[in-house]
Structure formats: C-alpha cells, structure tokens
Amino acid sequence: PPSETESVLDAAREAGYDAVEFRTRRAFTRALVPWLLRYRQVDMIGTGVGQSYISYALSRLLGVRLRQIQVAHGGSEESHAYGRKRPLNRIPVVLVAVSEYVRDKLVEHGVRRDRVRVIENFVPSELSGVPSRPPFDPSQPGALPLDGQPVRVAVVSRIDPIKRIDLLLDAVAGGGLEGFVFDVYGTGADLDTLRDRAAGHPQLHFHGFAADVPQRLAQADFLLHLCPKEPFGLVILEAFLAHVVAIVPDAGGAGSIVEDGVTGLKFRADDVEDLRRVL
C-alpha cells in the first residue's frame, strides 16, 4: 500500500516501467497472464514463493520460456524467512541472497546450495557528500573529538527485541560510558519500554523516526549496530560512505561486512562487557 509520501507503484512508473497493482494471489495470476501472452520469453524477479510457483505453472501452461530469480533478504523469524524457501528446490529458480550469512541460513533450512548466489546490497554513492564530524586527534589523551564534545554514537534500527538495543542500555547502566552520547533512531515494539529504562541516563536519547538519518549519521563519530542476526545491514554501508566507523557484533550479516580493525570494530555478539570494552 502507498506510504505517506510515495508508493513503489508510483516510483516504478516515474522510472518508466509499466506497473500493475495486485493484492491477492488470484489478482496476481490474472495480472500476469496478459504479460506472458504478450512476451514469449520472460525473466522474472520475485520475493514470494507463491509468486514463483504461480509464474512457473503459467509459463508451462502457456508455453512461455521463463527464467526466475527469487531474492532472499532474510527477516526476524528464521523458519519464515528461510525455511519457506525450501519448496523452491522443486522448480527451476535461482535464489539471490543479500549476504553470505543469508546464504548459509538458506542452506541450513534445506535450500540447495547450488541454487543460491550471493549478491550483496548497495547504497547510492551520493550519500558520501554529507558533511562529517570533525576528526579525532590521536595525540591528545583519550583521543577525544577535536571540537571537545562527547563522543557521539548513532544507532539506526528497528526497536524490536531481535535488534538487541537492550544491550546498549545494559552497557550504559554498567558505567564507564559517561563521555558518550548515544542517539537512537527508529521505532518498534520496544521503543516505549526502552525509553522508560533510559530515563535515568542523560547520555541516551531515543529519537523515534527521523527522515534525515544520513545527515544525522554523518554527524556521529561511530555507528553502533547491535543485532547478531541481521541479514545484511544497509546502514553499515551508509556509515562507510559517511566515513563513520561501524561497531558491529561478530555474527550475522553485519559481522561478515566489517573486517575488524580495518573497516570497523567488532564485539562478541550478545556480550555486554565486550561491547563496553570496544566502546
């Protein structure tokens, strides 16, 4: 359904594509038949298993040469995100995983490894033009920011249990991080609960939704990513482009993106003490 600003349907039409809206599998089937009759050779990219099966059945029925790609981007519930892809073993379709982590999870849940290709995510390069914070001076004690302000750490995430934002609150409650300011951007089921927990810690700020995240991220000294089961983590690439150091767990898609000490820093996943040590 359309968002407050623009729907995917509108964006597709603005990009010059013919676009058709559907809301049920039956409507999808009805919408697909004229296209398969018009074009005798079709390449299709989908995200739903049902869509791939419907497309395959119609192509066989109508004698259309069909090549299919199924994009697997992961999700919060493994059996839903990965296990439901296993039936695709029965039809000719290539699965594209957004990270090696997602590929391994697909295989773990029964998808044939030879059916999976890894094509990692990307973000537009124009994000690199956003102004950054002043640098650190390594010659000063503690290597504090040159402008004398606290170390600013941005967290950009859904505020849901799987994202483990609670680790940050536990780390702050343990002390030793008084010289930091943590700006958390995002909404989710845990937002009110964690806001209440953060009330006694002035360095913790839960901002909710923010429309200008790239600009805010560029003004941080670090990006902190806490989820150990993240399929990929686009915000990590945004941090790279903004020249902001990413701190991530040593697990999941985020752990596979960052090379410790080279393109970012890693802490042991779900380990509060190690998170505090790295910070």
Side-chain angles (χ1 to χ4, degrees), residues 97-104 118-121 225 227-234 236-237 240 246-260 263-267 269:
V98 298
S99 66
E100 294 179 5
Y101 172 78
V102 170
R103 178 197 59 198
D104 293 343
V118 176
I119 301 178
E120 293 184 335
N121 279 320
H225 194 85
C227 179
K229 297 182 179 180
E230 186 71 52
F232 186 85
L234 279 171
I236 298 170
L237 298 189
F240 287 172
I247 301 174
V248 305
D250 60 354
S256 67
I257 295 172
V258 171
E259 185 178 355
D260 192 31
T263 57
L265 299 170
K266 292 183 183 180
F267 64 94

Side-chain angles (χ1 to χ4, degrees), residues 107-120:
V107 173
E108 179 183 323
H109 284 80
V111 177
R112 286 171 45 181
R113 180 175 287 272
D114 64 327
R115 289 286 188 93
V116 185
R117 303 289 183 273
V118 176
I119 301 178
E120 293 184 335

Side-chain angles (χ1 to χ4, degrees), residues 123-144:
V123 292
S125 59
E126 56 261 27
L127 289 174
S128 59
V130 178
S132 298
R133 276 261 281 165
F136 285 69
D137 183 355
S139 68
Q140 293 184 1
L144 295 174

